[in-house]
Amino acid sequence: MTVIDSTPVTSPPVDACVSAGAAHPRPDGQDRYTISEVAEFTGLRAHTLRWYEQIGLMPHVERSHTGQRRFDNRDLDWLAFVGKLRLTGMPVADMVRFAELVHRGEATYGERQDILEQTRHEVATRIAALQDTLAVLDAKINFYAGARQAPERA
Amino acid sequence: MTVIDSTPVTSPPVDACVSAGAAHPRPDGQDRYTISEVAEFTGLRAHTLRWYEQIGLMPHVERSHTGQRRFDNRDLDWLAFVGKLRLTGMPVADMVRFAELVHRGEATYGERQDILEQTRHEVATRIAALQDTLAVLDAKINFYAGARQAPERA
DNA sequence: TAGAACCTTCAAGTGCACTTGAGGCAAGTG
DNA sequence: CACTTGCCTCAAGTGCACTTGAAGGTTCTA
């Protein structure tokens, strides 16, 4: 019985951390992707994907009999999550540390929770700062718009 | 009559762009600051402030009779705005371009408005993405919390 | 009047996150 | 069977935003 995608099953219950909730639209009902397929799908370059693996951010990807990488849906989930973390501004080194915790299994749940709570806090702070910025931008945009509509008022 | 701060007056109506709305808490009722005062106030290093001026991101700062920089409240406003732009992820080169538009005066209002509207759009998009990320983080945090509270459920 | 604590310019260095290039193997096509 | 395409590894290069350092002038405090 092969995994056919559709709903996020995550059959091996060993470590459900990787399933990122409502999955992104998968290419199709398969489970083995070449590096260029993954590159197109994630927006990352093939070189970057290899580099991720090299530094330990992308844990060991399966290989074909000729040594080429074959990514599966779990890998895609992990990359989607990494993309989210990247969005938060988390340094790559920290993501690698998190990846190591995931690799070490259930024993690190607590530590992982702590890290994500810290990250959550930072993200919330960042959102607030950006909303502040939005207000400043709006004020300036309004100023410019007003100045253009009433240009002769010296 | 010297500018005493309080409400954003911006007496010379030439270019009100710099007044960033509700001003940050000013050091005190003065209007001439040394570079180290500005450094402490903004969190930027003195070297960075000189570099900003050098690349055209900090338009000409006044000098004392001995040639030392004397920043005023307008400069502080500008730096606060630059800080906001930096938060949005705008590259320094783009900020320099904006600074040049400001320097060229009213004729560039339209162009400036366009840039800020574009930036506004990007910031809004970014906020949405971060809120998405927040949801993912919450899901994972809950997963970890749940797994710790009910650890014996193989 | 001495020394600390500032300031100046010019230039090279740092850290991060990739990016690019070289050289080569393996599978499919006319 | 040559050729193109796609993958591999290893190593060096790039771009950005500062950061640090060197060498020297000026101003404030004791």
Side-chain angles (χ1 to χ4, degrees):
Chain A
M1 190 200 250
T2 46
V3 180
I4 298 291
D5 158 64
S6 68
T7 46
V9 196
T10 320
S11 334
V14 179
D15 202 326
C17 164
V18 182
S19 70
H24 32 131
R26 292 284 168 55
D28 43 356
Q30 57 172 326
D31 201 28
R32 283 170 74 80
Y33 314 96
T34 66
I35 198 166
S36 60
E37 285 170 329
V38 176
E40 182 173 11
F41 187 58
T42 59
L44 298 167
R45 324 246 332 231
H47 264 100
T48 304
L49 289 167
R50 290 190 203 103
W51 177 68
Y52 274 12
E53 191 181 357
Q54 183 191 324
I55 63 174
L57 180 51
M58 178 77 234
H60 293 97
V61 178
E62 279 223 70
R63 301 296 180 116
S64 73
H65 68 104
T66 53
Q68 298 193 349
R69 287 173 185 80
R70 290 296 178 260
F71 295 76
D72 62 20
N73 284 325
R74 277 176 76 84
D75 295 329
L76 255 39
D77 285 335
W78 173 253
L79 285 172
F81 179 55
V82 165
K84 294 287 185 198
L85 289 185
R86 207 163 40 122
L87 244 147
T88 69
M90 181 186 283
V92 165
D94 291 5
M95 294 192 235
V96 170
R97 232 162 283 138
F98 191 87
E100 280 160 4
L101 293 180
V102 171
H103 183 70
R104 273 167 44 201
E106 295 188 29
T108 63
Y109 275 10
E111 209 175 327
R112 289 191 239 168
Q113 187 182 343
D114 292 348
I115 290 172
L116 294 193
E117 272 167 2
Q118 171 65 27
T119 303
R120 201 217 117 93
H121 179 71
E122 287 163 14
V123 171
T125 304
R126 191 168 189 69
I127 288 174
L130 284 177
Q131 272 161 347
D132 240 56
T133 300
L134 218 48
V136 171
L137 289 176
D138 281 339
K140 283 186 187 297
I141 288 167
N142 285 338
F143 168 78
Y144 288 135
R148 282 163 90 189
Q149 288 203 324
E152 314 297 345
R153 193 75 74 91
Chain B
M1 190 199 251
T2 45
V3 179
I4 299 290
D5 156 66
S6 67
T7 45
V9 196
T10 320
S11 334
V14 179
D15 203 326
C17 165
V18 182
S19 70
H24 33 133
R26 293 286 168 53
D28 44 355
Q30 57 172 325
D31 201 27
R32 283 169 76 81
Y33 313 96
T34 65
I35 198 167
S36 59
E37 284 171 328
V38 176
E40 181 173 13
F41 187 56
T42 60
L44 298 167
R45 323 241 340 225
H47 264 99
T48 304
L49 288 167
R50 289 187 205 105
W51 178 67
Y52 274 11
E53 190 180 356
Q54 184 190 321
I55 64 174
L57 180 51
M58 179 77 234
H60 293 96
V61 178
E62 279 223 72
R63 301 296 180 117
S64 73
H65 68 105
T66 54
Q68 299 192 350
R69 285 173 187 81
R70 291 294 178 260
F71 295 77
D72 61 21
N73 285 324
R74 276 175 78 83
D75 295 328
L76 255 38
D77 285 334
W78 173 253
L79 285 171
F81 178 56
V82 165
K84 295 286 185 200
L85 289 185
R86 207 163 40 122
L87 242 147
T88 70
M90 181 185 284
V92 165
D94 291 5
M95 295 191 234
V96 170
R97 232 162 284 136
F98 191 87
E100 280 161 4
L101 294 180
V102 171
H103 182 72
R104 274 165 44 200
E106 295 187 30
T108 63
Y109 275 11
E111 208 174 328
R112 289 191 239 169
Q113 186 182 342
D114 291 347
I115 290 173
L116 294 192
E117 272 167 1
Q118 171 65 27
T119 303
R120 201 217 117 93
H121 180 71
E122 287 162 14
V123 171
T125 304
R126 191 168 190 70
I127 287 174
L130 285 176
Q131 272 160 348
D132 241 56
T133 300
L134 221 47
V136 171
L137 289 176
D138 281 339
K140 283 187 185 297
I141 288 167
N142 285 337
F143 168 79
Y144 288 136
R148 282 163 89 189
Q149 288 203 323
E152 315 298 345
R153 194 76 74 92

